[in-house]
């Protein structure tokens, strides 16, 4: 596995040789989202060290790279396309899959959100990870909240209405559990609810002061989110410009 390298002020890229144009495009997207994250967490853009970012174009190289940097202590699940190991970002780009290829342009900003939450919440205040909480933030801070994403939240709410009593705390830190309970649509539903109701910064303050209180909120937040979204389907496509 021979990787090309590109060092900038904000990222230390290592990438498969067939991804040079892709890296240039995704760097610009990621810089814009870094600005959003710095504003949200009230930190200086220039104080964030360059992030080690590996972008691989095949599954084997992706897995091998993570094995290498973790001394074989971590293996991504087969379906994974992004990780945040060792305070860096690792991602898989499938050039022959147009849907994944386009969606992958936001993997860096998704994983970067996790890194910011680790730095400014979990590590700073010595708080054990609450996976559902930071995944909801990552899914919505990774890219602008467009009309299409709002419409997706409505669709997912209708499809998951029967799961309204789901306790988000059932989602454990391991990826196997996350997949088994089909957590991914719930991250998008709850994330939409949090950001459209301007609860994101409030919830950061809550988890910093009392993680158990956020655990309690997680027991009913799916029901609250689905009720909100389905009660406001006519106005749900009104985009909150703070996102």
């Amino acid at each position: 596995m021979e990787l090309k390298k590109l060092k900038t002020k904000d990222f230390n890229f290592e990438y498969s040789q067939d991804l040079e144009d892709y890296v240039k495009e995704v760097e610009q997207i990621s810089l814009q989202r870094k600005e959003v994250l710095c504003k949200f967490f009230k930190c200086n853009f220039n104080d964030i060290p360059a992030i080690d970012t590996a972008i691989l174009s095949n599954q084997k190289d992706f897995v091998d790279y993570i094995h290498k940097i973790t001394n074989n202590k971590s293996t991504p699940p087969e379906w994974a396309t992004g990780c945040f190991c060792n305070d860096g970002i690792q991602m898989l780009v499938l050039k022959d899959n147009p849907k994944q290829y386009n969606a992958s342009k936001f993997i860096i900003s998704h994983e970067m959100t996790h890194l910011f939450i680790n730095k400014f919440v979990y590590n700073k205040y010595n708080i054990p990870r609450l996976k559902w909480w930071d995944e909801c933030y990552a899914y919505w801070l990774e890219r602008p909240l467009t009309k299409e994403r709002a419409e997706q939240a409505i669709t997912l709410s209708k499809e998951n209405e029967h799961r309204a009593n789901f306790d988000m705390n059932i989602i454990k830190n391991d990826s196997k559990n996350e997949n088994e309970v089909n957590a991914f649509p719930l991250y998008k539903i709850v994330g939409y609810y949090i950001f459209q109701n301007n609860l994101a910064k409030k919830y950061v303050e809550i988890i910093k002061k009392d993680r158990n209180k956020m655990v309690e909120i997680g027991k009913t937040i799916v029901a609250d989110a689905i009720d909100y979204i389905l009660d406001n389907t006519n106005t749900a496509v009104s985009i909150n410009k703070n996102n």
Side-chain angles (χ1 to χ4, degrees):
M1 172 175 52
E2 288 192 22
L3 302 178
K4 298 190 73 172
K5 295 184 179 182
L6 172 66
K7 289 192 174 185
T8 71
K9 183 173 66 68
D10 299 285
F11 298 99
N12 296 322
F13 289 109
E14 290 185 280
Y15 58 93
S16 299
Q17 298 191 27
D18 57 339
L19 292 176
E20 187 154 9
D21 291 339
Y22 175 90
V23 170
K24 293 176 182 177
E25 179 182 4
V26 81
E27 179 195 8
Q28 296 306 308
I29 294 171
S30 303
L31 283 173
Q32 190 276 328
R33 298 316 293 171
K34 180 183 173 184
E35 291 178 358
V36 171
L37 289 169
C38 287
K39 181 179 179 181
F40 183 84
F41 287 101
K42 297 180 180 179
C43 59
N44 190 313
F45 187 96
N46 294 318
D47 288 343
I48 305 298
I51 299 171
D52 293 335
T53 305
I55 307 177
L56 295 311
S57 61
N58 69 76
Q59 179 78 26
K60 184 179 184 304
D61 285 351
F62 177 61
V63 173
D64 287 349
Y65 188 92
I66 292 173
H67 282 169
K68 178 183 176 182
I69 66 172
T70 64
N71 293 319
N72 293 313
K73 293 179 181 178
S74 181
T75 298
E78 291 183 3
W79 47 263
T81 56
C83 299
F84 57 103
C85 299
N86 293 14
D87 294 324
I89 295 169
Q90 306 80 40
M91 57 182 286
L92 172 65
V93 179
L94 303 174
K95 293 182 69 176
D96 58 350
N97 183 331
K99 183 177 180 181
Q100 192 275 341
Y101 182 82
N102 289 325
S104 72
K105 294 174 183 178
F106 296 97
I107 290 176
I108 292 177
S109 50
H110 181 104
E111 304 303 337
M112 189 162 50
T113 305
H114 288 302
L115 294 179
F116 271 66
I117 289 174
N118 282 347
K119 180 178 178 66
F120 295 109
V121 181
Y122 293 150
N123 295 342
K124 184 174 182 178
Y125 296 93
N126 194 27
I127 298 169
R129 186 183 184 192
L130 187 59
K131 182 166 187 171
W132 71 261
W133 182 82
D134 60 75
E135 288 292 355
C136 291
Y137 279 67
Y139 267 92
W140 285 96
L141 285 171
E142 70 178 26
R143 67 183 82 183
L145 180 52
T146 61
K147 178 180 178 181
E148 289 72 24
R149 298 196 84 202
E151 291 172 344
Q152 181 190 54
I154 296 170
T155 299
L156 291 175
S157 295
K158 291 176 179 177
E159 293 174 353
N160 290 273
E161 192 171 7
H162 65 286
R163 304 175 70 195
N165 293 324
F166 185 89
D167 179 356
M168 290 294 281
N169 302 294
I170 293 171
I171 302 169
K172 306 302 181 184
N173 284 349
D174 64 284
S175 298
K176 182 179 179 181
N177 166 267
E178 182 181 38
N179 197 43
E180 287 175 347
V181 301
N182 191 22
F184 308 105
L186 301 182
Y187 294 150
K188 297 176 182 180
I189 292 167
V190 173
Y192 177 89
Y193 166 74
I194 289 172
F195 281 88
Q196 281 295 88
N197 284 278
N198 296 311
L199 294 170
K201 292 184 179 179
K202 176 182 177 181
Y203 284 177
V204 170
E205 293 306 310
I206 287 174
I207 199 170
K208 287 193 300 189
K209 295 175 183 176
D210 186 354
R211 182 181 184 276
N212 289 333
K213 185 173 180 179
M214 187 54 60
V215 169
E216 287 300 310
I217 290 172
K219 294 177 181 180
T220 59
I221 198 168
V222 174
D224 293 339
I226 289 175
D227 284 347
Y228 167 79
I229 293 169
L230 296 184
D231 285 347
N232 294 276
T233 55
N234 293 329
T235 58
V237 293
S238 175
I239 303 304
N240 186 328
K241 297 300 183 182
N242 292 324
N243 296 307

